[in-house]
């Protein structure tokens, strides 16, 4: 059973940076894909970035060049480094995982963390 715990959220001014972390436990065959999602009140949850635990990443077009997803050598901790933050990046960010190989299929994730809040002010 996959368990996920996020941390690293906070409040920053536009143009600032934050780094989120997600610690995963459980069998790796149940988390061949790990990803970051975000949801702001009144909006649908959207995929931000994903990493295939055996190699490869995906970034939503609106965050390319600003956000970077990565996984540590033990494939236990996933990170999201966020630079040049904008007010529209404000949301609760969730760590998620799934089995399978099509990691950019952001509607198919099955394990979820509790979320961590990111607030970006102008």
């Amino acid at each position: 059973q996959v368990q996920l715990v996020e941390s690293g959220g906070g409040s920053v001014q536009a143009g600032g940076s934050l780094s989120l972390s997600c610690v995963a436990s459980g069998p790796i065959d149940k988390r061949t894909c790990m990803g970051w999602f975000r949801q702001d009140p009144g909006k649908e949850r959207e995929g931000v970035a994903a990493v295939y635990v055996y190699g490869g990443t995906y970034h939503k077009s609106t965050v390319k060049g600003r956000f970077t997803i990565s996984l540590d050598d033990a494939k236990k901790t996933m990170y999201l480094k966020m630079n040049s933050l904008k007010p529209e990046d404000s949301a609760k960010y969730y760590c998620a995982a799934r089995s399978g190989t099509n990691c950019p299929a952001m509607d198919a994730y099955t394990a979820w963390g509790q979320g961590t809040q990111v607030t970006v002010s102008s």
Side-chain angles (χ1 to χ4, degrees):
Q1 186 171 345
V2 176
Q3 291 184 305
L4 304 167
V5 180
E6 307 98 325
S7 63
S11 298
V12 297
Q13 292 189 326
S17 299
L18 283 173
S19 185
L20 307 182
S21 299
C22 171
V23 178
S25 61
I28 196 168
D29 64 352
K30 301 297 184 183
R31 52 180 179 90
T32 52
C33 300
M34 297 182 67
W36 289 100
F37 292 73
R38 64 188 182 189
Q39 187 171 24
D40 213 19
K43 297 181 180 179
E44 292 186 351
R45 182 175 291 174
E46 64 176 356
V48 175
V51 57
Y52 178 51
V53 299
Y54 298 113
T57 61
Y58 163 81
H59 296 83
K60 179 179 172 69
S61 61
T62 55
V63 307
K64 279 186 175 180
R66 299 190 298 118
F67 292 10
T68 303
I69 192 170
S70 62
L71 195 63
D72 71 4
D73 291 341
K75 306 186 187 302
K76 179 179 177 181
T77 305
M78 180 177 66
Y79 304 93
L80 185 68
K81 177 63 178 176
M82 304 184 292
N83 296 320
S84 302
L85 283 161
K86 304 175 181 179
E88 53 263 43
D89 295 319
S90 295
K92 193 168 186 179
Y93 282 69
Y94 295 87
C95 174
R98 59 166 290 188
S99 60
T101 58
N102 189 15
C103 299
M106 305 299 277
D107 61 344
Y109 284 74
T110 57
W112 297 87
Q114 81 286 355
T116 185
Q117 182 67 42
V118 171
T119 302
V120 185
S121 60
S122 299

